[in-house]
Amino acid sequence: MDVGSAEAPVHQLKQQLGGGKLVGKVSKEQKALHAAISKLSKAVDKKLPVPASEKGVCRPVVFDPAPLNHMIALHLYRSGHFDAAASLVKVHLIHVNEECRCLI
């Protein structure tokens, strides 16, 4: 197969597609579509209310870690990690009944 025969179909296809004009047209259409979508998204943002989290309307979440630490300590005792559980109880001043420690 010689090189000239391979270039002929490419040249013919290029002529059928307008010699590069199609690429420019598609590019312009794509830019116009992008601009329209950008304007639409800005219009939607203006119409929708500001989220409550940005207004500062939401109450802050108050989290008490004591019940979670207590549950973790009991889990550590049940799992047989007595040193880790004792360390957690000591550091966080968790009250675990002596009966619970024995039963676990």
Side-chain angles (χ1 to χ4, degrees):
M1 180 166 122
D2 86 39
V3 178
S5 64
E7 291 177 1
V10 173
H11 182 67
Q12 184 182 5
L13 182 61
K14 186 177 178 182
Q15 285 179 344
Q16 287 176 350
L17 294 176
K21 293 179 185 177
L22 182 64
V23 174
K25 185 176 180 181
V26 170
S27 178
K28 287 179 185 178
E29 293 285 332
Q30 192 270 338
K31 287 179 184 179
L33 179 64
H34 178 66
I37 291 173
S38 179
K39 288 179 184 178
L40 178 64
S41 69
K42 289 177 184 177
V44 168
D45 288 341
K46 288 180 182 178
K47 294 289 182 187
L48 291 178
V50 178
S53 61
E54 290 181 15
K55 288 182 184 177
V57 174
C58 294
R59 294 180 301 216
V61 176
V62 179
F63 176 72
D64 182 17
L68 179 63
N69 289 334
H70 186 265
M71 187 173 63
I72 292 171
L74 291 177
H75 172 73
L76 289 171
Y77 278 122
R78 278 193 301 269
S79 301
H81 301 286
F82 302 110
D83 293 338
S87 176
L88 183 68
V89 166
K90 183 178 177 183
V91 169
H92 292 284
L93 304 173
I94 302 169
H95 176 67
V96 177
N97 293 339
E98 192 65 36
E99 296 172 0
C100 290
R101 291 181 194 181
C102 293
L103 293 175
I104 299 169

Short mmCIF file of all heavy atoms in Angstrom, two decimals, residues 1 7 14 28 31 35 37 48 51 56 70 86 90-91 94 96-97 103:
data_model
loop_
_atom_site.label_atom_id
_atom_site.label_comp_id
_atom_site.label_asym_id
_atom_site.label_seq_id
_atom_site.Cartn_x
_atom_site.Cartn_y
_atom_site.Cartn_z
N MET A 1 0.85 -1.17 0.00
CA MET A 1 0.00 0.00 0.00
C MET A 1 0.89 1.22 0.00
O MET A 1 1.75 1.38 0.86
CB MET A 1 -0.87 -0.05 1.26
CG MET A 1 -1.80 1.10 1.40
SD MET A 1 -3.02 0.72 2.65
CE MET A 1 -2.74 2.06 3.74
N GLU A 7 -3.53 8.81 1.81
CA GLU A 7 -3.85 10.22 2.01
C GLU A 7 -5.11 10.64 1.27
O GLU A 7 -5.79 11.58 1.68
CB GLU A 7 -2.69 11.10 1.56
CG GLU A 7 -1.47 10.99 2.46
CD GLU A 7 -0.31 11.82 1.95
OE1 GLU A 7 -0.45 12.50 0.92
OE2 GLU A 7 0.75 11.80 2.60
N LYS A 14 -11.84 15.38 4.47
CA LYS A 14 -11.64 16.76 4.88
C LYS A 14 -12.45 17.72 4.02
O LYS A 14 -13.08 18.66 4.52
CB LYS A 14 -10.15 17.12 4.82
CG LYS A 14 -9.83 18.49 5.37
CD LYS A 14 -8.33 18.74 5.35
CE LYS A 14 -8.00 20.12 5.84
NZ LYS A 14 -6.56 20.40 5.79
N LYS A 28 -17.27 27.13 18.35
CA LYS A 28 -18.12 28.28 18.68
C LYS A 28 -19.40 27.84 19.38
O LYS A 28 -19.84 28.46 20.34
CB LYS A 28 -18.46 29.07 17.41
CG LYS A 28 -17.30 29.86 16.86
CD LYS A 28 -17.70 30.60 15.59
CE LYS A 28 -16.50 31.30 14.98
NZ LYS A 28 -16.83 31.97 13.73
N LYS A 31 -18.63 26.92 22.99
CA LYS A 31 -18.41 28.11 23.81
C LYS A 31 -19.73 28.78 24.15
O LYS A 31 -19.95 29.22 25.29
CB LYS A 31 -17.48 29.11 23.10
CG LYS A 31 -16.04 28.67 23.07
CD LYS A 31 -15.18 29.68 22.33
CE LYS A 31 -13.75 29.19 22.21
NZ LYS A 31 -12.91 30.15 21.47
N ALA A 35 -21.29 29.23 27.91
CA ALA A 35 -21.68 30.54 28.43
C ALA A 35 -23.13 30.51 28.92
O ALA A 35 -23.45 31.07 29.98
CB ALA A 35 -21.51 31.60 27.35
N ILE A 37 -24.85 27.89 30.00
CA ILE A 37 -24.92 27.08 31.24
C ILE A 37 -24.38 27.88 32.41
O ILE A 37 -24.93 27.84 33.52
CB ILE A 37 -24.16 25.75 31.06
CG1 ILE A 37 -24.91 24.86 30.08
CG2 ILE A 37 -23.98 25.04 32.39
CD1 ILE A 37 -24.19 23.59 29.71
N LEU A 48 -32.25 30.78 44.56
CA LEU A 48 -32.34 29.88 45.69
C LEU A 48 -31.92 30.60 46.97
O LEU A 48 -31.03 31.44 46.96
CB LEU A 48 -31.44 28.66 45.48
CG LEU A 48 -31.89 27.69 44.39
CD1 LEU A 48 -30.88 26.56 44.26
CD2 LEU A 48 -33.26 27.14 44.65
N PRO A 51 -28.16 28.74 52.03
CA PRO A 51 -28.28 27.62 52.97
C PRO A 51 -28.19 28.10 54.42
O PRO A 51 -27.49 29.06 54.73
CB PRO A 51 -27.10 26.73 52.62
CG PRO A 51 -26.72 27.10 51.23
CD PRO A 51 -27.10 28.54 51.07
N GLY A 56 -25.80 31.02 59.48
CA GLY A 56 -25.52 30.91 60.91
C GLY A 56 -26.78 30.64 61.71
O GLY A 56 -26.84 30.89 62.90
N HIS A 70 -17.50 5.73 77.74
CA HIS A 70 -17.99 4.66 78.63
C HIS A 70 -18.26 3.39 77.82
O HIS A 70 -17.85 2.29 78.21
CB HIS A 70 -19.24 5.13 79.36
CG HIS A 70 -19.71 4.16 80.39
ND1 HIS A 70 -20.67 3.22 80.13
CD2 HIS A 70 -19.35 3.98 81.69
CE1 HIS A 70 -20.89 2.50 81.20
NE2 HIS A 70 -20.10 2.95 82.18
N ALA A 86 -8.45 -0.05 81.13
CA ALA A 86 -8.06 0.60 82.39
C ALA A 86 -7.43 1.96 82.11
O ALA A 86 -7.69 2.93 82.84
CB ALA A 86 -7.09 -0.30 83.16
N LYS A 90 -8.97 5.52 83.33
CA LYS A 90 -8.14 6.41 84.15
C LYS A 90 -8.01 7.80 83.52
O LYS A 90 -8.16 8.82 84.21
CB LYS A 90 -6.76 5.79 84.33
CG LYS A 90 -5.84 6.58 85.22
CD LYS A 90 -4.51 5.88 85.38
CE LYS A 90 -3.57 6.70 86.22
NZ LYS A 90 -2.25 6.06 86.34
N VAL A 91 -7.75 7.86 82.22
CA VAL A 91 -7.53 9.14 81.54
C VAL A 91 -8.80 9.97 81.49
O VAL A 91 -8.78 11.18 81.73
CB VAL A 91 -6.98 8.91 80.11
CG1 VAL A 91 -7.00 10.18 79.31
CG2 VAL A 91 -5.57 8.35 80.17
N ILE A 94 -13.72 7.69 83.75
CA ILE A 94 -14.98 6.99 83.48
C ILE A 94 -15.31 6.11 84.67
O ILE A 94 -14.46 5.41 85.21
CB ILE A 94 -14.84 6.13 82.20
CG1 ILE A 94 -14.47 7.01 81.02
CG2 ILE A 94 -16.12 5.36 81.91
CD1 ILE A 94 -14.06 6.24 79.78
N VAL A 96 -16.89 2.92 85.89
CA VAL A 96 -17.36 1.60 85.48
C VAL A 96 -17.49 0.79 86.76
O VAL A 96 -16.55 0.65 87.53
CB VAL A 96 -16.36 0.92 84.51
CG1 VAL A 96 -16.83 -0.48 84.15
CG2 VAL A 96 -16.18 1.77 83.27
N ASN A 97 -18.68 0.25 86.99
CA ASN A 97 -18.93 -0.54 88.20
C ASN A 97 -17.96 -1.72 88.27
O ASN A 97 -17.61 -2.32 87.26
CB ASN A 97 -20.35 -1.11 88.20
CG ASN A 97 -21.38 -0.03 88.31
OD1 ASN A 97 -21.08 1.08 88.77
ND2 ASN A 97 -22.59 -0.33 87.90
N LEU A 103 -17.89 -9.13 85.57
CA LEU A 103 -18.76 -9.90 84.70
C LEU A 103 -18.24 -9.94 83.27
O LEU A 103 -18.53 -10.87 82.53
CB LEU A 103 -20.19 -9.32 84.71
CG LEU A 103 -20.92 -9.46 86.03
CD1 LEU A 103 -22.26 -8.73 85.94
CD2 LEU A 103 -21.14 -10.92 86.38
#
